Amino acid sequence: MLHVRRAILLCGLGATRAFAAHAQSRSPSEPPRLRATIELGIGDANESRDAYIFGAIDGLAMDAQGRIIVADRKDHTVRVFAADGRHLYTIGRKGKGPGDLDSPCCLAIARDGALWVKENGNHRYSAFRLGTTEATFVRSTRGTTNSVWSTDRVDFDPKGRIIDLESAFNPTTKVFRAVRAHIDSAGTAVERDTIPKPPADSLSGVSFATKNGFASYNQPFGATELHAYGAGGEMAHAVSSNYAVAWTAADGKRKTLLQRSSVPSPSLSAKEREATEELLNSISRNTGVPRANLKLVVPTRKMPLQALGFDLDGRLWIERSVMDGQPGEADLYDRSGQWIAIMQWPAGVTMRFWTVRGRTGLGVAEDEDGVQRVVRLQFR
């Protein structure tokens, strides 16, 4: 099952002081370890009320009142819950008109308090003003492409323009790359910058001939690109095989390089190996290539890094791989690049939306039948 963490609502300087106070009794190389407990859950397998049943959670947000906001991609709605978990109201329905939604994700609360929703189906960004009993549609801004590159929160550059992730084909390398387009209120891209590509030999993708041409796959649990996009246009980039994370400012200049040595590469469990065997057998059947010729193998270990993410305070989380069934872990860095804590959350919980402020976080839990629920965690 997936679960998420919650914490005390500590903001800005208060949160920084709290972490610093914890760290005073430890050496700089050993920041405090904060473990999360689930204090609230919304939805479960026995739930019968429609407002509390989720199809595919694809975005989470918390506003200044502690309200919990959930984007359901499959239901084409955004639901607003009170801090105690009560459903308050639902925003949108499937459609293309003003206030309608199509495959919503990637929620963000702007500085003026407006809720911004990315719509992958309509490929636009829609803003709503959150009221007590309902939300009011404000406006929509068109995206620049129909490609979806990320489920990160809606982000704005220092000039207040939406940053839209699109794809661009490089005729020299003959591959598509992610590009950030800075778009104005009319949906016009006024500036573009390319997401850096790591060296090809640092990744674990392979290509091989098939009965119908060529196919390309990533090695299961192999080295992959990791990217994160934060408020104001900041970014972080890494390759999962190496704990070396480049944190860049909005202008693309590097702020810092975060590195650690001796980070473990956990072993695969029997369940993970079995699932990988099934995957490779499926690829063999679909491509007509014998298993021995696939160039894909069942590894014994995972890469040390799992994911990157910026939270609501602008801090960077570097999630490390863990053994199957073990609690999730991430190294937390403040905005100056200082390693301030090791964050741990219950096994099976996903933190991929990085909806954390201070020590309070939201996550998604999913049972063996695929039933999802939203959980709020507190790190102590």
Side-chain angles (χ1 to χ4, degrees):
M1 293 181 67
L2 305 170
H3 315 324
V4 188
R5 6 354 204 171
R6 153 143 190 180
I8 308 168
L9 259 172
L10 297 173
C11 301
L13 183 59
T16 301
R17 286 174 175 167
F19 281 117
H22 255 287
Q24 286 176 356
S25 61
R26 299 171 178 264
S27 69
S29 62
E30 293 187 13
R33 182 178 292 271
L34 303 181
R35 295 176 174 86
T37 56
I38 298 174
E39 68 171 18
L40 177 71
I42 303 175
D44 59 43
N46 299 318
E47 183 59 69
S48 59
R49 296 168 294 176
D50 288 346
Y52 297 84
I53 300 173
F54 303 106
I57 298 171
D58 212 13
L60 294 171
M62 286 190 296
D63 71 0
Q65 301 176 35
R67 291 182 293 188
I68 299 167
I69 306 158
V70 185
D72 191 323
R73 170 173 47 84
K74 187 174 291 186
D75 192 47
H76 307 287
T77 61
V78 172
R79 301 179 212 172
V80 181
F81 298 87
D84 61 6
R86 290 177 297 110
H87 176 254
L88 298 177
Y89 55 87
T90 296
I91 303 171
R93 61 181 181 182
K94 186 174 183 180
K96 299 184 179 300
D100 293 338
L101 299 172
D102 192 341
S103 303
C105 77
C106 319
L107 306 177
I109 305 293
R111 290 183 179 179
D112 63 359
L115 170 70
W116 280 87
V117 183
K118 180 178 181 179
E119 299 180 60
N120 286 328
N122 290 325
H123 199 75
R124 67 184 180 188
Y125 297 84
S126 295
F128 298 85
R129 188 68 60 186
L130 300 177
T132 303
T133 59
E134 63 179 1
T136 303
F137 172 72
V138 178
R139 66 184 178 92
S140 292
T141 298
R142 297 296 306 175
T144 60
T145 176
N146 291 323
S147 297
V148 178
W149 280 90
S150 170
T151 58
D152 285 66
R153 289 184 299 275
V154 178
D155 189 20
F156 302 86
D157 69 12
K159 296 182 180 179
R161 301 173 301 197
I162 292 175
I163 296 178
D164 192 27
L165 289 173
E166 60 180 32
S167 61
F169 182 72
N170 187 318
T172 302
T173 61
K174 301 188 184 310
V175 297
F176 285 91
R177 289 300 303 155
V179 174
R180 296 194 313 171
H182 302 243
I183 60 176
D184 60 20
S185 58
T188 302
V190 295
E191 183 180 342
R192 283 185 168 88
D193 50 84
T194 302
I195 306 302
K197 173 73 174 177
D201 59 3
S202 69
L203 305 176
S204 57
V206 298
S207 298
F208 49 84
T210 71
K211 58 184 179 181
N212 296 318
F214 282 85
S216 296
Y217 291 91
N218 288 324
Q219 287 280 2
F221 297 98
T224 60
E225 297 180 50
L226 300 178
H227 303 284
Y229 307 95
E234 293 190 350
M235 297 182 291
H237 311 287
V239 175
S240 62
S241 59
N242 185 22
Y243 199 119
V245 181
W247 187 344
T248 64
D251 59 4
K253 295 180 180 179
R254 180 181 293 180
K255 289 179 55 175
T256 185
L257 178 64
L258 305 173
Q259 294 181 291
R260 282 186 59 196
S261 59
S262 302
V263 177
S265 298
S267 300
L268 268 67
S269 66
K271 182 179 179 180
E272 289 171 327
R273 290 196 299 271
E274 181 181 355
T276 305
E277 288 282 2
E278 293 178 359
L279 172 64
L280 298 189
N281 288 335
S282 175
I283 292 174
S284 177
R285 289 192 300 269
N286 293 336
T287 61
V289 177
R291 272 286 303 269
N293 298 337
L294 277 183
K295 298 183 180 180
L296 298 170
V297 299
V298 179
T300 58
R301 294 186 174 276
K302 305 176 185 179
M303 296 293 104
L305 300 187
Q306 177 68 24
L308 308 175
F310 288 97
D311 67 16
L312 301 180
D313 291 330
R315 302 170 301 188
L316 179 62
W317 294 57
I318 301 179
E319 183 179 357
R320 290 181 273 106
S321 297
V322 297
M323 293 189 67
D324 189 29
Q326 294 301 303
E329 286 193 355
D331 296 324
L332 181 64
Y333 293 84
D334 66 16
R335 291 189 56 78
S336 70
Q338 180 182 356
W339 184 21
I340 58 174
I342 299 171
M343 310 296 272
Q344 188 178 80
W345 55 90
V349 167
T350 180
M351 294 292 288
R352 69 187 181 97
F353 302 116
W354 310 110
T355 308
V356 184
R357 179 179 292 114
R359 296 189 188 181
T360 301
L362 298 178
V364 178
E366 184 174 318
D367 65 20
E368 294 181 354
D369 296 323
V371 177
Q372 293 185 325
R373 66 188 180 115
V374 176
V375 293
R376 187 172 63 198
L377 301 139
Q378 182 175 18
F379 290 90
R380 297 183 177 90

